[in-house]
Amino acid sequence: MKFSTLQFMRRLQKTILLAVLMLFIMNFPFVAILDMGNLAFDIPVLYLFFYLLWALLIVVYFYIYKNNRA
Amino acid sequence: MSLWLLFGLCIFYLLFLFGVAYYAERKSLGGNSLINNPLIYALSLTTYCTAWTFYGSVGKAAMTGIGFLPTYLGPIILAGFWYILFRYVIRICKIQRITSIADFIASRYGSSTTIGVLVSVVSILSIIPYISLQLKAISQSFDILYNNINDSDALIQTNTGLMTAILMSIFIIIFGTRNIDASERQEGMVFAIAFEAVFKLIAFLAIGIYVTFFVYDGFTDIFRQANDALILERLTSVSTSSVGGYWDWFMLINLSFFAFMLLPRQFYLIGVQNTDEEHSSSAAWLFSLYLLTINIFIIPIALGGLIAFQGQNVNADTFVLMMPISDGNYVLSLIVFFGGFAAATGMIIASAYAISMMLTNNLLLPFTLRFVTDDHRYNIPKMILKLRRISIIFIMFFAYIFLVLVGSEYPLVEIGLISFVGIVQLAPSFFGAILWKRGNKKGVITGLALGTLVWIFTLVLPTLIRANLIFDIDILSEGALGMGILRPYALFGYMGMSNIVHGMFWSLLFNLGAYIVVSIYTNPTIQELEKASEFSAIGNNLVGDRIALNQNINAVPFVQIKQLLERFFGKEEAEKLIHKYQADYQVIFKPHHKVTPSFIDYTENLLTGVVGSATSRILVSKIVKRITLEDGDIIKAVSETHDIISQSKQLEAKSKRLEVTTAQLQHANERLKELDEMKDNFIASISHELRTPLTSIRAFAEMLSNKNYDLEHRKDEFLNIIVKESSRLSHLINDILYFEKLVQSQDDLLLTHIDLNDLVDEVVISLLPQAEEAEVSFEIIRVPEHRSSIFVDADKLKQVFINLINNAIKFNDPTKPEKHIKITLARLSDNFEITVLDNGIGIPASELEIIYKEFYQIESDKENKPYGSGLGLAISKKIIELHNGTIAVRSSLSQWTEFVICLPQ
C-alpha cells in the first residue's frame, strides 16, 4: 500500500479524533448516563452499549483500512 | 480417567505443537512462509489473551461485573493507531536489527547499557510472575479436571506446573535458539502461537455456546435468571466495579492501552517477527474482531456460573472448567482444559523467549563478552546460543519458584495487573522515544528507576508481605517505618483508588515527572542526539521508503570488520553477509580497502541482532573510532546558527521598516484624501463665492440695461454694487492665483531693507475704513527707530499683516462694548517678533491646528460667510515659512486671539 503524505495525515487526523471520541464516550461522565442499571431486552444497557460500540469500531476500522488500500 | 492418560494427552498436545512448528519451519526453508499474512500476524498478537483472559476474566466478571472490560478496551482504542505506530516500530526494528523492547529503548537513548539493564530488569521482574500465573492456571486446571473427573476423595496435588515449565523450556530452546541472529524470523514459533490462538478461541467459543445455548436458553435467559436471583444487580455498574469507580475505570483503560505493545512478547511479535509492515493495517480489525469474539461469552459464563454454583464454594476463576464438569460433559471439559492450556503455553513461549533475549543481551553478554572477545579460544556464536538457552531455563525456573512461593495465594487477575503496572513503567521512555525528541538518557534512567521503586513499594512489596515472605503484615496498615503517609496501599494517606490503580498512578506520576523534568534540565550526549535523529528520521519518513543513514566515522580497513563478523557469525555465514552487502550496494571490498560508513552501520546492525544494541555498539566502537564533534565543528555549528539568527533578525528589521513605511503610506493616503475633500469643498465654496458676486453683477447690469424700467434715480447705487462685487471677484481670483504662485515658486523672494514701523502703519491705514465700520480701535507698540530696519520681501510681508489684521477686524465680537486690536512689534537679539492681539470671538481649541489649512474657514461662519477665500492664513503661513520664520496662535474662545510671528534676521 503506497499512499501520499496527505492521505496519511488525513488518516492520522481521523484516527486521533476517533481515539479521543472513544476515550470520551467510554468514560465518565458519558458512561455514567448509561450506568443506572437499566435493562433492555433483559440485558443491562451498559453491556449492550459497550459490545455494540466495539462491533461498530471494528466496522469503522475495517473501512478506514480498506479505503486506504490502493 | 487415569492421571497418566491425562498427562499423556498433555504430552500429545505439546508434541502436536512441536509438529506444527516443525512443519512451518520446513515450509519456510522451502521458501514458503506460512506466517507471511495479516491473519497469522493478527492471531500471533492475540497472545495478549492469556490464561488470564481464559479463566481470569470470567472470575473477574463474576466478582465485579463489567470490571474485566478495560483490559480489552485499551488495545481496541490503540488498534486505530497500529498502521502508524506499528509501522514505525517495525521499521526501526528492521533497520536497527532490534530484538527486544529493552534494545529499542536503549538504542533510542544512545545505545545506553544502563537503560538496557534497567528495562530488562523491569521487564523480567514484571513478566516472571506473569509466567508463573500461566503455570498456575495450567496446574490448577489440571488438578480440577483430574480430581473432579475421578471424584477422588483425597485431592491430588499434581506437579503439572513443573512439568509444563520443563516442556516449555525445551520447546523454546528447540524453536527459538537455533539461529544465532535473533532478528531472523522464528517461523515455527510464531506459527505455533497462531495455531494456539485459534485453538483457544474455538475452545472458549465452545464453552460459551454450551453455557449460553445448552445450559441456558440464550443470552436473555441468563440475564433474566441472574436478575431473578438478585445476582445481576451488583454486576451492571461501572461505578461499583472498582473502589475508585469511574477514575479506576479510566486508569485501567489507559493501563491496557499503554501496556499492550510494551509487554515484551507483544513488542517482539509486533516488531521483530513481523514479515510485512502492511499487515499491521488489516491485522488491526482482525485482532479487534478476535477480542470481541472471545469477550462476548465472558459475562454469560460468569453469570451462568454464579447461578449454577450459588451457595457453593466454587472459585469463580474455574467457572469455565467447572460448568461442563458439573454437568458430566467430560469431552467439553477436556476441550476447555486444552484451550486454557493453549492460552497459557502460547503466552509462555512468546514471553519466556522475549525476556530471555533481554536477559542474554542486556545483562549477561555485556559482562561476558568483555572477557572473551579478544580471546580466540572461544567460539563466540556457540557461547551466545548457550547463554540464551541458559537464560530460558533460568526464567522458567524462577517462574516456577515464584508459583510455589507466592502464586498460590492470589487470584489470576491481580498478579496479571501487577505485571501490567510494572510493564507500563516503560511507557514514558517508549512513547517519549517516538514522540519527544528532547527526552534523554538521564531522564529515562531517573524516571524508570523512580517509577520502578514506587511500583515495587506499592504493589510488589505488599504482595510479598501478604504471602508472608517478608516483613510483617502491619506495614500495610501502619506504613513503612511506622509513618502513616508511607502505607503501600495508601500513599500519602489517600485510599480512594483500587490497589492497582493506586500503584499505577503514583509510579507513573514519579516516572513521567522525573523523565520530563530531568530531560528538560539536562543535555543529551552526541551519541543520543545521533540516535534520536535516526529515530525521528524514520518516524518522519513513514510514508516513503526507508532512507540511508550516515554517520561520521573514521576510515577503517575492511579486514578488521570482516574479522569481527567472522567471530560472531562464523566464517561461512560472515562471508555470505558480506557478499549480500556487496551485491546490494554494488561494491567490492579488498582486505585493506577503507569501508563505507554504511557498511559499518550494516555491521553494527547485524551484531545488534545477535548481542543487542548496547553490546554491538561497544564491539564496533573497539575498532571504529567515531568522529566526535571537534572544536572547529562546534564553532562552525555555532557560527551557522549565528548566521541564521542574524538573518532572521534582519528579516525582522525589514518587516518592521515595512510596517513603518506602510504606516507612512497610510498617513499620506489619509492626508491626500483630506486634501481631496478640501479641494472639493473649496471648489464648491469657491464656485458659490464666484457665483454670488457674478449673480448680483449680472442682475444689476440686466436691470440697468432693461429699458422697461425707469431706474435712472438708482443708477449710481446699482453701479456701485456692480463695482464692489467686481472688485470682490477680482480679489478672490487674485488670492487664488497668489496662493498658487506661492506654492509653486517657493524661494522667489524679493528681499529689501525696509522699516517695520512704516510697513505696519501703511497696512493699518489701508484697513482703517473697515476698522471704523466695525468700530474697532487700534493700539500699536512700535520698535525703536534705530532698530526697525528689517530685511524682507516687503509686499509679501504686507500681505501677511493685511490678512492677520483684516481677520482680527472681521472676527470682532459685536457683543463687546470696546473692540480693539493691539499690534506689538519687538526686536529681540536677532529676530523680530510681531504680535497681533484682538478681543474678538476667538478660535475653538479644536480648530487651532487646522486654521492654516488651505480653504479652511471657521465653522461658525458657514451661515454668514465672511468676505474671504479661506486662503488668507494659508498664504500668511507660507510667506512666513519662506522667510524661515514661524507663526503661532493662541486663543481663548469668545475672549481673545493672538497671532505671534517670529522673523529671524
Side-chain angles (χ1 to χ4, degrees), chain A residues 1-3 8 11-12 15 19 26-28 32 35 39 41-42 44 46-47 50-51 54 57 61-62 65 69, chain B residues 76-77 79-81 83 220 223-224 227 235-239 246 249-250 281-282 284-285 288 295 543 545:
Chain A
M1 190 202 318
K2 285 249 171 189
F3 47 96
F8 193 81
R11 191 155 115 180
L12 184 62
T15 339
M26 283 180 182
N27 278 291
F28 184 84
D35 197 0
L39 304 180
F41 316 107
D42 292 322
L46 197 66
Y47 292 171
F50 274 109
Y51 282 96
W54 194 335
L57 209 54
Y61 286 158
F62 178 79
Y65 287 129
R69 285 188 91 83
Chain B
I76 296 301
I77 297 175
F81 293 98
Y83 70 95
T220 42
F223 281 104
R224 202 177 304 127
N227 204 12
L235 295 179
T236 53
S237 173
V238 168
S239 58
Y246 294 112
W249 177 263
F250 173 73
S281 295
S282 320
W285 70 266
S288 309
N295 265 278
V543 182
D545 292 325

Side-chain angles (χ1 to χ4, degrees), chain A residues 28-58:
Chain A
F28 184 84
F30 195 84
V31 162
I33 298 168
L34 303 163
D35 197 0
M36 298 195 254
N38 294 332
L39 304 180
F41 316 107
D42 292 322
I43 299 173
V45 174
L46 197 66
Y47 292 171
L48 282 177
F49 167 72
F50 274 109
Y51 282 96
L52 290 177
L53 185 68
W54 194 335
L56 188 71
L57 209 54
I58 294 170

Side-chain angles (χ1 to χ4, degrees), chain B residues 764-784:
Chain B
V764 170
I765 288 164
S766 76
L767 289 172
L768 269 179
Q770 283 102 310
E772 273 166 15
E773 197 185 329
E775 297 172 345
V776 176
S777 63
F778 284 105
E779 182 190 350
I780 303 173
I781 297 169
R782 296 181 171 77
V783 248

Side-chain angles (χ1 to χ4, degrees), chain B residues 459-504:
Chain B
L459 289 171
V460 180
L461 203 67
T463 310
L464 298 179
I465 292 172
R466 279 162 63 188
N468 288 323
L469 286 177
I470 45 166
F471 304 130
D472 196 79
I473 196 141
D474 288 346
I475 289 184
L476 295 184
S477 53
E478 286 164 15
L481 312 170
M483 287 197 283
I485 59 163
L486 288 182
R487 272 177 291 167
Y489 282 152
L491 216 52
F492 307 114
Y494 184 67
M495 298 200 284
M497 299 181 255
S498 73
N499 296 342
I500 297 293
V501 171
H502 171 267
M504 175 191 170

Side-chain angles (χ1 to χ4, degrees), chain B residues 763-764 767 770-772 774-779 800-814 816 818-823 835-843 858 866-867 873 876 895-899:
Chain B
V763 173
V764 170
L767 289 172
Q770 283 102 310
E772 273 166 15
E775 297 172 345
V776 176
S777 63
F778 284 105
E779 182 190 350
V800 174
F801 290 150
I802 291 171
N803 288 343
L804 288 184
I805 297 166
N806 203 8
N807 276 350
I809 297 168
K810 251 194 305 185
F811 298 112
N812 68 61
D813 189 346
K816 286 181 184 147
E818 273 191 30
K819 301 164 221 167
H820 63 86
I821 296 169
K822 184 180 178 184
I823 301 166
T835 314
V836 181
L837 173 71
D838 66 62
N839 66 342
I841 55 169
I843 304 167
I858 274 191
Y867 182 85
L873 282 175
S876 307
Q895 288 186 10
W896 50 265
T897 304
E898 183 185 51
F899 280 92

Side-chain angles (χ1 to χ4, degrees), chain B residues 841-869:
Chain B
I841 55 169
I843 304 167
S846 60
E847 300 195 8
L848 279 176
E849 301 235 319
I850 54 169
I851 54 172
Y852 300 112
K853 284 186 179 167
E854 304 85 2
F855 316 125
Y856 165 80
Q857 295 196 335
I858 274 191
E859 201 62 32
S860 57
D861 291 322
K862 280 242 164 107
E863 283 172 16
N864 179 24
K865 278 204 171 168
Y867 182 85
S869 58

Side-chain angles (χ1 to χ4, degrees), chain B residues 706-876:
Chain B
N706 196 328
K707 300 280 190 296
N708 293 338
Y709 300 110
D710 181 16
L711 291 168
E712 202 58 35
H713 61 285
R714 295 188 69 183
K715 192 173 156 190
D716 285 349
E717 189 191 341
F718 282 14
L719 283 174
N720 264 338
I721 292 171
I722 290 172
V723 170
K724 211 175 121 190
E725 290 297 314
S726 302
S727 78
R728 181 175 156 190
L729 198 57
S730 65
H731 189 83
L732 197 58
I733 292 166
N734 282 342
D735 263 4
I736 296 164
L737 291 176
Y738 189 61
F739 183 72
E740 273 307 303
K741 202 177 143 204
L742 272 180
V743 169
Q744 275 169 21
S745 56
Q746 293 264 333
D747 41 19
D748 199 15
L749 287 178
L750 202 69
L751 296 171
T752 49
H753 283 281
I754 56 148
D755 189 294
L756 184 62
N757 293 337
D758 294 351
L759 190 78
V760 172
D761 282 346
E762 216 176 299
V763 173
V764 170
I765 288 164
S766 76
L767 289 172
L768 269 179
Q770 283 102 310
E772 273 166 15
E773 197 185 329
E775 297 172 345
V776 176
S777 63
F778 284 105
E779 182 190 350
I780 303 173
I781 297 169
R782 296 181 171 77
V783 248
E785 292 284 327
H786 62 281
R787 306 188 63 185
S788 60
S789 175
I790 187 168
F791 188 62
V792 288
D793 185 323
D795 284 345
K796 291 199 166 78
L797 196 59
K798 212 159 125 186
Q799 184 67 50
V800 174
F801 290 150
I802 291 171
N803 288 343
L804 288 184
I805 297 166
N806 203 8
N807 276 350
I809 297 168
K810 251 194 305 185
F811 298 112
N812 68 61
D813 189 346
T815 60
K816 286 181 184 147
E818 273 191 30
K819 301 164 221 167
H820 63 86
I821 296 169
K822 184 180 178 184
I823 301 166
T824 315
L825 309 174
R827 170 99 200 231
L828 304 176
S829 58
D830 50 2
N831 54 17
F832 284 93
E833 201 176 80
I834 302 131
T835 314
V836 181
L837 173 71
D838 66 62
N839 66 342
I841 55 169
I843 304 167
S846 60
E847 300 195 8
L848 279 176
E849 301 235 319
I850 54 169
I851 54 172
Y852 300 112
K853 284 186 179 167
E854 304 85 2
F855 316 125
Y856 165 80
Q857 295 196 335
I858 274 191
E859 201 62 32
S860 57
D861 291 322
K862 280 242 164 107
E863 283 172 16
N864 179 24
K865 278 204 171 168
Y867 182 85
S869 58
L871 283 170
L873 282 175
I875 290 170
S876 307

Side-chain angles (χ1 to χ4, degrees), chain B residues 193-244:
Chain B
I193 287 168
F195 165 79
E196 296 205 292
V198 177
F199 193 87
K200 71 188 173 203
L201 180 65
I202 292 174
F204 200 81
L205 286 181
I207 178 68
I209 291 168
Y210 170 75
V211 171
T212 313
F213 297 103
F214 292 88
V215 180
Y216 297 91
D217 200 9
F219 291 107
T220 42
D221 183 48
I222 293 184
F223 281 104
R224 202 177 304 127
Q225 287 202 30
N227 204 12
D228 293 345
L230 300 176
I231 292 167
L232 193 58
E233 225 177 344
R234 62 184 176 87
L235 295 179
T236 53
S237 173
V238 168
S239 58
T240 57
S241 66
S242 179
V243 183

